[in-house]
Amino acid sequence: MDGEYKVKLNGITHWIRVVGSENNTMPLVILHGGPGGNHYVFERTIGPLLSNSRTVIYYEQRGCGRTEKPSDDTKYSIDLLVEDFKSIQKWLDVKKVDLLGYSFGGELALEIALAAPTVINRIVLSGPSLINSEINKMVQITGICSVVDIQLYRQMQDVLKKVLTIDETYNKIWELADSKTVDLLLFENQEIAKRNREMWAESNLVNTGLMYKALKKNPVKIPLLDRLKEIQQETLIIAGAFDRNTGISISTLIHKELRNSEMVLFNNSAHFPDLEEPDKFNKIVHEFLEPLL
């Protein structure tokens, strides 16, 4: 039944929202990015287009958005996030679901598919990440340097000239990035970037960065990229042509490793095709999922 729910699962009170239950379709579970993000913007933009004809399930991950934070800051890991998903699926009382993960949510969707293959039907990835990989960090470093003004670029050049590890360079580049840089990194259309930032402010939901730090300290034992060939589900990968955050290169890497995937390029988008080309996004996702309705 449609509505917002607060459900205690695995010791954490999770925020869950069900929309479009009258459509009686296989549920489409939406996985947000970050790590540490929330669904506030997605719910108010592309979400209603999807739920016009689909049953859509939102939930926010532990310590994120409207979901309770663990009492112990160490209680963040991919394994725990996967276990939370499994508990939510059982609470929903459904045998199978489709997944749509954007940014880090795409990475999490793939981890869920590996851990619970019989539960997952089809997968949609939008600008998926590989957060602990060196290539993902290099894509972001390059992306940030490509959008800043000349003064800031010179400061970043000074960082790049130093003999540092990729992690050290990555952290220092991000320390120099301001909100304007972030908007230019994430969006091709700066009017949409402005509206997105307004909705971030409206939400009063803040990404503390805690989950990212925890996942960085506690990475999975075998990198996700090395396990992707095990995934059998049909997968749609959506990539923005101007994505400077995770980049076409990450989507392409994932596409090459997955046995049963297709990749669609959105020519007028950066990291969020759902915001920059919503009608195309809605159409492509529906066409991909519709055969199994």
Side-chain angles (χ1 to χ4, degrees), residues 146-160:
S146 73
V147 297
V148 294
D149 61 35
I150 191 65
Q151 288 80 13
L152 199 46
Y153 177 67
R154 282 176 184 146
Q155 292 180 57
M156 291 181 178
Q157 262 190 321
D158 290 340
V159 172
L160 296 172

PDB file of all heavy atoms in Angstrom, residues 146-160:
ATOM      1  N   SER A 146      38.837  19.926 -15.039  1.00  0.00           N
ATOM      2  CA  SER A 146      38.335  20.356 -16.348  1.00  0.00           C
ATOM      3  C   SER A 146      37.264  21.444 -16.261  1.00  0.00           C
ATOM      4  O   SER A 146      36.957  22.080 -17.260  1.00  0.00           O
ATOM      5  CB  SER A 146      37.782  19.157 -17.129  1.00  0.00           C
ATOM      6  OG  SER A 146      36.538  18.729 -16.596  1.00  0.00           O
ATOM      7  N   VAL A 147      36.686  21.666 -15.072  1.00  0.00           N
ATOM      8  CA  VAL A 147      35.574  22.625 -14.990  1.00  0.00           C
ATOM      9  C   VAL A 147      35.898  23.890 -14.195  1.00  0.00           C
ATOM     10  O   VAL A 147      35.135  24.854 -14.228  1.00  0.00           O
ATOM     11  CB  VAL A 147      34.309  21.964 -14.370  1.00  0.00           C
ATOM     12  CG1 VAL A 147      33.814  20.841 -15.260  1.00  0.00           C
ATOM     13  CG2 VAL A 147      34.542  21.479 -12.951  1.00  0.00           C
ATOM     14  N   VAL A 148      37.021  23.908 -13.479  1.00  0.00           N
ATOM     15  CA  VAL A 148      37.323  25.069 -12.624  1.00  0.00           C
ATOM     16  C   VAL A 148      37.878  26.235 -13.443  1.00  0.00           C
ATOM     17  O   VAL A 148      38.338  26.057 -14.580  1.00  0.00           O
ATOM     18  CB  VAL A 148      38.329  24.693 -11.510  1.00  0.00           C
ATOM     19  CG1 VAL A 148      37.705  23.699 -10.555  1.00  0.00           C
ATOM     20  CG2 VAL A 148      39.631  24.134 -12.089  1.00  0.00           C
ATOM     21  N   ASP A 149      37.856  27.442 -12.837  1.00  0.00           N
ATOM     22  CA  ASP A 149      38.436  28.599 -13.511  1.00  0.00           C
ATOM     23  C   ASP A 149      39.961  28.522 -13.443  1.00  0.00           C
ATOM     24  O   ASP A 149      40.521  27.686 -12.742  1.00  0.00           O
ATOM     25  CB  ASP A 149      37.905  29.912 -12.919  1.00  0.00           C
ATOM     26  CG  ASP A 149      38.236  30.076 -11.434  1.00  0.00           C
ATOM     27  OD1 ASP A 149      39.317  29.635 -10.998  1.00  0.00           O
ATOM     28  OD2 ASP A 149      37.406  30.634 -10.700  1.00  0.00           O
ATOM     29  N   ILE A 150      40.615  29.417 -14.152  1.00  0.00           N
ATOM     30  CA  ILE A 150      42.064  29.328 -14.328  1.00  0.00           C
ATOM     31  C   ILE A 150      42.819  29.476 -13.003  1.00  0.00           C
ATOM     32  O   ILE A 150      43.830  28.802 -12.771  1.00  0.00           O
ATOM     33  CB  ILE A 150      42.580  30.353 -15.374  1.00  0.00           C
ATOM     34  CG1 ILE A 150      44.035  30.056 -15.749  1.00  0.00           C
ATOM     35  CG2 ILE A 150      42.386  31.781 -14.906  1.00  0.00           C
ATOM     36  CD1 ILE A 150      44.235  28.745 -16.453  1.00  0.00           C
ATOM     37  N   GLN A 151      42.304  30.325 -12.096  1.00  0.00           N
ATOM     38  CA  GLN A 151      42.982  30.518 -10.805  1.00  0.00           C
ATOM     39  C   GLN A 151      42.948  29.229  -9.975  1.00  0.00           C
ATOM     40  O   GLN A 151      43.971  28.814  -9.412  1.00  0.00           O
ATOM     41  CB  GLN A 151      42.330  31.660 -10.013  1.00  0.00           C
ATOM     42  CG  GLN A 151      42.609  33.051 -10.569  1.00  0.00           C
ATOM     43  CD  GLN A 151      41.723  33.412 -11.756  1.00  0.00           C
ATOM     44  OE1 GLN A 151      40.730  32.718 -12.033  1.00  0.00           O
ATOM     45  NE2 GLN A 151      42.081  34.480 -12.456  1.00  0.00           N
ATOM     46  N   LEU A 152      41.779  28.621  -9.925  1.00  0.00           N
ATOM     47  CA  LEU A 152      41.653  27.386  -9.160  1.00  0.00           C
ATOM     48  C   LEU A 152      42.414  26.252  -9.844  1.00  0.00           C
ATOM     49  O   LEU A 152      43.021  25.407  -9.177  1.00  0.00           O
ATOM     50  CB  LEU A 152      40.166  27.021  -9.010  1.00  0.00           C
ATOM     51  CG  LEU A 152      39.775  26.046  -7.890  1.00  0.00           C
ATOM     52  CD1 LEU A 152      40.445  26.391  -6.568  1.00  0.00           C
ATOM     53  CD2 LEU A 152      38.267  25.991  -7.744  1.00  0.00           C
ATOM     54  N   TYR A 153      42.409  26.262 -11.170  1.00  0.00           N
ATOM     55  CA  TYR A 153      43.148  25.230 -11.898  1.00  0.00           C
ATOM     56  C   TYR A 153      44.643  25.295 -11.577  1.00  0.00           C
ATOM     57  O   TYR A 153      45.298  24.262 -11.420  1.00  0.00           O
ATOM     58  CB  TYR A 153      42.933  25.377 -13.403  1.00  0.00           C
ATOM     59  CG  TYR A 153      43.735  24.383 -14.213  1.00  0.00           C
ATOM     60  CD1 TYR A 153      43.448  23.016 -14.152  1.00  0.00           C
ATOM     61  CD2 TYR A 153      44.800  24.793 -15.015  1.00  0.00           C
ATOM     62  CE1 TYR A 153      44.187  22.097 -14.867  1.00  0.00           C
ATOM     63  CE2 TYR A 153      45.551  23.866 -15.742  1.00  0.00           C
ATOM     64  CZ  TYR A 153      45.234  22.530 -15.663  1.00  0.00           C
ATOM     65  OH  TYR A 153      45.973  21.620 -16.370  1.00  0.00           O
ATOM     66  N   ARG A 154      45.168  26.496 -11.445  1.00  0.00           N
ATOM     67  CA  ARG A 154      46.600  26.644 -11.120  1.00  0.00           C
ATOM     68  C   ARG A 154      46.897  26.063  -9.737  1.00  0.00           C
ATOM     69  O   ARG A 154      47.953  25.448  -9.528  1.00  0.00           O
ATOM     70  CB  ARG A 154      47.003  28.116 -11.187  1.00  0.00           C
ATOM     71  CG  ARG A 154      47.190  28.605 -12.629  1.00  0.00           C
ATOM     72  CD  ARG A 154      47.487  30.077 -12.695  1.00  0.00           C
ATOM     73  NE  ARG A 154      47.577  30.532 -14.084  1.00  0.00           N
ATOM     74  CZ  ARG A 154      47.192  31.724 -14.511  1.00  0.00           C
ATOM     75  NH1 ARG A 154      46.673  32.603 -13.655  1.00  0.00           N
ATOM     76  NH2 ARG A 154      47.312  32.054 -15.786  1.00  0.00           N
ATOM     77  N   GLN A 155      45.988  26.274  -8.790  1.00  0.00           N
ATOM     78  CA  GLN A 155      46.172  25.676  -7.459  1.00  0.00           C
ATOM     79  C   GLN A 155      46.155  24.153  -7.546  1.00  0.00           C
ATOM     80  O   GLN A 155      46.935  23.471  -6.882  1.00  0.00           O
ATOM     81  CB  GLN A 155      45.059  26.141  -6.523  1.00  0.00           C
ATOM     82  CG  GLN A 155      45.113  27.613  -6.166  1.00  0.00           C
ATOM     83  CD  GLN A 155      43.972  28.004  -5.233  1.00  0.00           C
ATOM     84  OE1 GLN A 155      43.827  27.422  -4.153  1.00  0.00           O
ATOM     85  NE2 GLN A 155      43.168  28.967  -5.646  1.00  0.00           N
ATOM     86  N   MET A 156      45.270  23.640  -8.382  1.00  0.00           N
ATOM     87  CA  MET A 156      45.179  22.189  -8.543  1.00  0.00           C
ATOM     88  C   MET A 156      46.399  21.641  -9.274  1.00  0.00           C
ATOM     89  O   MET A 156      46.873  20.547  -8.973  1.00  0.00           O
ATOM     90  CB  MET A 156      43.881  21.826  -9.276  1.00  0.00           C
ATOM     91  CG  MET A 156      42.659  22.096  -8.426  1.00  0.00           C
ATOM     92  SD  MET A 156      41.090  21.658  -9.208  1.00  0.00           S
ATOM     93  CE  MET A 156      39.948  22.067  -7.865  1.00  0.00           C
ATOM     94  N   GLN A 157      46.910  22.418 -10.206  1.00  0.00           N
ATOM     95  CA  GLN A 157      48.148  22.021 -10.901  1.00  0.00           C
ATOM     96  C   GLN A 157      49.293  21.835  -9.913  1.00  0.00           C
ATOM     97  O   GLN A 157      50.088  20.907 -10.039  1.00  0.00           O
ATOM     98  CB  GLN A 157      48.538  23.099 -11.925  1.00  0.00           C
ATOM     99  CG  GLN A 157      48.115  22.779 -13.341  1.00  0.00           C
ATOM    100  CD  GLN A 157      48.750  23.759 -14.319  1.00  0.00           C
ATOM    101  OE1 GLN A 157      48.872  24.950 -14.057  1.00  0.00           O
ATOM    102  NE2 GLN A 157      49.175  23.241 -15.456  1.00  0.00           N
ATOM    103  N   ASP A 158      49.353  22.738  -8.929  1.00  0.00           N
ATOM    104  CA  ASP A 158      50.407  22.638  -7.906  1.00  0.00           C
ATOM    105  C   ASP A 158      50.290  21.316  -7.147  1.00  0.00           C
ATOM    106  O   ASP A 158      51.301  20.693  -6.808  1.00  0.00           O
ATOM    107  CB  ASP A 158      50.315  23.809  -6.923  1.00  0.00           C
ATOM    108  CG  ASP A 158      50.717  25.133  -7.562  1.00  0.00           C
ATOM    109  OD1 ASP A 158      51.412  25.101  -8.601  1.00  0.00           O
ATOM    110  OD2 ASP A 158      50.313  26.193  -7.039  1.00  0.00           O
ATOM    111  N   VAL A 159      49.066  20.886  -6.886  1.00  0.00           N
ATOM    112  CA  VAL A 159      48.840  19.601  -6.221  1.00  0.00           C
ATOM    113  C   VAL A 159      49.299  18.463  -7.123  1.00  0.00           C
ATOM    114  O   VAL A 159      49.983  17.529  -6.682  1.00  0.00           O
ATOM    115  CB  VAL A 159      47.348  19.422  -5.847  1.00  0.00           C
ATOM    116  CG1 VAL A 159      47.083  18.006  -5.324  1.00  0.00           C
ATOM    117  CG2 VAL A 159      46.921  20.464  -4.825  1.00  0.00           C
ATOM    118  N   LEU A 160      48.917  18.541  -8.396  1.00  0.00           N
ATOM    119  CA  LEU A 160      49.235  17.472  -9.345  1.00  0.00           C
ATOM    120  C   LEU A 160      50.740  17.312  -9.565  1.00  0.00           C
ATOM    121  O   LEU A 160      51.209  16.226  -9.897  1.00  0.00           O
ATOM    122  CB  LEU A 160      48.538  17.732 -10.682  1.00  0.00           C
ATOM    123  CG  LEU A 160      46.994  17.706 -10.652  1.00  0.00           C
ATOM    124  CD1 LEU A 160      46.430  18.158 -11.988  1.00  0.00           C
ATOM    125  CD2 LEU A 160      46.475  16.319 -10.311  1.00  0.00           C
TER     126      LEU A 160
END
